[in-house]
Amino acid sequence: MSRFSRTAPVLIAVAVASALSWFAWLGWETGYRELPDGSVEGPYSAAQVVACAVTVAAVVVAGCLALRGSRGGAAAVVLTATGAFAVMWALDASSDDTSGLWVVGLALLVLGTTAGLSVVAFLTLLVRRCLLRNRSRTASE
C-alpha cells in the first residue's frame, strides 16, 4: 500500500472530525449572555471551549498514531485539523461580523491552534517512540 493511499483517508477523517468537533461543541451557540452582576460573557462558555480543545487534541493523537508516528504525517495531521477547524469557525464568524475583525480572530485562532496541536503531536510521537523502545527492549530480554 502506498504512503498516499494510507495517508489520504486519515487526513480526510481528521478534517471531518475536526470540523464536526467545532460544530458539536461551538457551532450551536446563539450569542452573548448577561450575567446577574451585569457583565457579559460569551458567545462560548469555558467548558465548551475546553471540551472542544480536548476533542480536537484527541483527533490529532488518533491521526498521528494512525500514520504510525511519522513526523511528516504528524505535521499534515496538525495542519489538516487546524485548517478544517478554522474554516468552520471562519464561516460562522464572518456571517455576522460587520466590522471585519473576524479576520484578526481567524489569524489568532490559526496561530494558537497550530501551536497547541503541534505540542500535542510532538508529545504523541515522543510517547509512541518511548513505548516502542521499551517494547523492543522487553522483547529482547
Side-chain angles (χ1 to χ4, degrees):
M1 179 181 273
S2 73
R3 188 167 40 170
F4 177 76
S5 63
R6 182 178 33 154
T7 304
V10 171
L11 294 180
I12 290 168
V14 166
V16 169
S18 297
L20 288 175
S21 297
W22 178 87
F23 187 76
W25 290 110
L26 306 176
W28 48 270
E29 199 52 59
T30 59
Y32 293 88
R33 295 166 297 287
E34 186 171 341
L35 300 176
D37 66 357
S39 63
V40 177
E41 80 169 9
Y44 313 120
S45 72
Q48 283 176 282
V49 173
V50 169
C52 188
V54 168
T55 304
V56 175
V59 168
V60 167
V61 169
C64 288
L65 294 176
L67 294 179
R68 300 184 182 147
S70 74
R71 282 182 281 197
V77 166
V78 168
L79 294 176
T80 300
T82 299
F85 190 87
V87 165
M88 295 303 294
W89 184 89
L91 289 173
D92 181 56
S94 66
S95 68
D96 61 356
D97 180 16
T98 58
S99 69
L101 287 176
W102 70 269
V103 177
V104 175
L106 177 62
L108 294 172
L109 175 79
V110 168
L111 289 172
T113 303
T114 301
L117 293 180
S118 294
V119 170
V120 170
F122 173 76
L123 292 174
T124 301
L125 298 181
L126 187 65
V127 168
R128 182 182 185 276
R129 183 170 293 152
C130 289
L131 290 173
L132 289 174
R133 190 175 299 142
N134 286 342
R135 185 182 305 161
S136 67
R137 223 180 273 152
T138 305
S140 66
E141 290 177 356

